[in-house]
Coordinates of all heavy atoms in Angstrom, one line a residue:
Y38 N 50.4 56.0 82.3 CA 50.1 54.6 82.7 C 48.6 54.5 82.9 O 48.1 54.8 83.9 CB 50.9 54.2 84.0 CG 50.5 52.8 84.5 CD1 51.0 51.7 83.8 CD2 49.8 52.7 85.8 CE1 50.6 50.5 84.3 CE2 49.5 51.5 86.3 CZ 50.0 50.4 85.5 OH 49.6 49.1 86.0
A39 N 48.0 54.0 81.8 CA 46.5 54.1 81.8 C 46.0 52.7 81.3 O 45.2 52.7 80.3 CB 46.0 55.2 81.0
S42 N 41.7 52.5 81.8 CA 40.7 53.3 80.9 C 41.2 53.3 79.5 O 40.5 53.7 78.5 CB 40.7 54.8 81.5 OG 41.9 55.4 81.1
F44 N 42.8 55.5 78.3 CA 42.8 57.0 78.0 C 44.0 57.6 78.5 O 44.2 57.8 79.8 CB 41.4 57.5 78.5 CG 41.0 58.8 78.1 CD1 40.5 59.1 76.9 CD2 41.2 60.0 79.0 CE1 40.1 60.3 76.5 CE2 40.9 61.2 78.5 CZ 40.3 61.4 77.3
V46 N 46.5 60.8 79.2 CA 46.5 62.2 79.2 C 47.9 62.7 79.6 O 48.6 62.1 80.4 CB 45.5 62.8 80.3 CG1 45.3 64.3 80.3 CG2 44.1 62.1 80.1
N61 N 51.5 62.9 83.7 CA 50.5 62.1 83.0 C 49.8 61.3 84.0 O 50.0 61.2 85.1 CB 51.3 61.2 82.0 CG 52.4 60.5 82.6 OD1 52.4 60.1 83.7 ND2 53.5 60.1 81.8
N62 N 48.6 60.8 83.4 CA 47.8 60.0 84.4 C 48.4 58.7 84.8 O 49.0 58.0 83.9 CB 46.3 59.9 83.8 CG 46.2 59.3 82.5 OD1 47.1 59.5 81.6 ND2 45.1 58.6 82.2
Q63 N 48.2 58.3 86.0 CA 48.7 57.2 86.6 C 47.7 56.3 87.3 O 47.1 56.8 88.2 CB 49.8 57.6 87.7 CG 51.0 58.2 87.1 CD 51.9 57.4 86.2 OE1 52.1 56.2 86.5 NE2 52.5 58.0 85.2
E64 N 47.3 55.2 86.6 CA 46.1 54.5 87.1 C 46.5 53.4 88.1 O 47.7 53.1 88.2 CB 45.3 54.0 85.9 CG 44.8 55.1 85.0 CD 43.9 54.7 83.9 OE1 43.8 53.5 83.7 OE2 43.2 55.6 83.4
M72 N 45.6 58.8 89.5 CA 45.6 60.2 89.5 C 45.7 60.8 88.1 O 46.2 60.2 87.2 CB 46.9 60.7 90.4 CG 46.9 62.2 90.6 SD 45.3 63.0 91.1 CE 45.1 62.2 92.7
C73 N 45.0 61.9 87.9 CA 45.1 62.6 86.6 C 46.4 63.3 86.3 O 47.1 63.7 87.2 CB 44.0 63.8 86.7 SG 42.3 63.3 86.8
A74 N 46.6 63.5 85.0 CA 47.8 64.1 84.5 C 48.1 65.4 85.1 O 49.2 65.8 85.5 CB 47.8 64.2 83.1
E75 N 47.0 66.3 85.1 CA 47.1 67.8 85.6 C 47.7 67.8 86.9 O 48.6 68.6 87.2 CB 45.8 68.4 85.4 CG 45.3 68.5 84.0 CD 44.4 67.4 83.6 OE1 44.6 66.2 84.0 OE2 43.4 67.6 82.9
V109 N 39.9 68.0 75.3 CA 39.6 67.4 76.6 C 39.9 68.3 77.7 O 41.1 68.7 78.0 CB 40.4 66.1 76.7 CG1 40.3 65.5 78.1 CG2 40.1 65.1 75.6
S110 N 38.8 68.9 78.3 CA 39.1 69.8 79.4 C 39.4 69.2 80.7 O 38.9 68.0 81.0 CB 37.8 70.7 79.5 OG 36.7 69.9 79.8
P111 N 40.0 69.9 81.6 CA 40.5 69.3 82.9 C 39.2 69.0 83.7 O 38.2 69.7 83.8 CB 41.3 70.3 83.5 CG 41.2 71.6 82.8 CD 40.6 71.2 81.4
C112 N 39.3 67.8 84.4 CA 38.1 67.4 85.3 C 37.9 68.4 86.4 O 38.8 69.3 86.7 CB 38.3 66.0 85.8 SG 39.4 65.8 87.2
C115 N 40.7 68.4 89.0 CA 41.9 69.2 88.6 C 41.7 70.7 88.5 O 42.6 71.5 88.9 CB 42.3 68.6 87.2 SG 43.0 67.0 87.4
Ligands
THU201 N1 42.1 62.0 83.4 C1 43.1 63.0 83.5 O1 44.3 62.5 83.5 N2 42.8 64.2 83.5 C2 41.5 64.7 83.4 O2 41.3 65.9 83.5 C3 40.4 63.8 83.2 C4 40.7 62.3 83.3 C5 42.4 60.6 83.4 C6 42.1 60.0 84.7 C7 42.0 58.5 84.2 O3 43.2 57.9 84.3 C8 41.5 58.6 82.8 O4 41.8 59.9 82.4 C9 40.1 58.2 82.5 O5 39.2 59.1 83.3

Side-chain angles (χ1 to χ4, degrees):
Y38 176 65
S42 70
F44 190 77
V46 187
N61 50 30
N62 53 330
Q63 297 292 323
E64 297 188 348
M72 186 46 64
C73 292
E75 297 89 325
V109 174
S110 60
C112 78
C115 288

